[in-house]
Amino acid sequence: MVHEDGMTDQRTAEVTIEEFEHLAKDGSGFLDIYNFVTEEIAHGHARMRLEFREHHVRSGGTMAGPSMMALADFAAYAALMGAIGPVQMAVTSSLSINFLRRPEAADMVAEARIVSSTRRLAFSEVDLYSAGETAPIAHITATYAIPKIKA
């Protein structure tokens, strides 16, 4: 999580990449479609990759918006799990994407961070990049609803 002073939270992630990937294989087939690669999970931060494949391309030879949105959503979920631990039923309650420029026909990388959270809601930002580039191609804000955990 990034604090108001711009400093990054240095706490250990509440979930490992292996635990997160096991949690993400929920039987929905979602990962079979996208084949996301989890590159990093930290406390309130995640970096994910969507490998370039023809079925993610729209006319014009660029990554399709729905694939971009899926990557952003999945990266935000990973960042949340890094902050709170494995909670399978945390769900997206809102997601807004601003497409900033045309992505390259290349792998796409998402950098997600939890900006703020309460016991029931987490607010995140995600920047998407074409692999190897430093200027974002999209900026996303997402809110996750965190279920009440029975004691």
Side-chain angles (χ1 to χ4, degrees), residues 34 36 50 56 58 62-74 95 97-103 108 110 126 128-129 137-140:
Y34 291 103
F36 296 124
L50 175 60
H56 297 301
R58 66 177 298 274
T62 187
M63 286 290 228
S67 294
M68 295 170 69
M69 294 171 74
L71 175 61
D73 188 33
F74 197 64
L95 187 139
I97 187 167
N98 292 295
F99 297 101
L100 304 175
R101 61 188 182 86
R102 183 180 186 270
M108 191 171 311
V126 183
L128 296 183
Y129 302 87
I137 57 175
H139 179 79
I140 298 90

Side-chain angles (χ1 to χ4, degrees), residues 4 30 67 92-93 104:
E4 288 180 18
F30 184 73
S67 294
T92 310
S93 61
E104 297 296 319

Side-chain angles (χ1 to χ4, degrees), residues 116-127:
S116 179
S117 63
T118 67
R119 288 189 334 236
R120 300 303 303 270
L121 293 173
F123 306 94
S124 63
E125 289 187 328
V126 183
D127 288 315

Side-chain angles (χ1 to χ4, degrees), residues 15-27 31 35-41 47-48 74 77-78 81 86:
V15 67
T16 66
I17 289 174
E18 293 77 21
E19 291 168 333
F20 172 73
E21 289 178 345
H22 178 74
L23 177 68
K25 292 177 183 171
D26 63 359
L31 293 180
N35 297 309
F36 296 124
V37 176
T38 306
E39 294 185 346
E40 177 186 354
I41 295 180
R47 184 175 54 250
M48 311 293 284
F74 197 64
Y77 181 64
M81 296 301 100

Side-chain angles (χ1 to χ4, degrees), residues 81-97:
M81 296 301 100
I84 68 172
V87 178
Q88 188 168 20
M89 293 309 297
V91 295
T92 310
S93 61
S94 70
L95 187 139
S96 176
I97 187 167

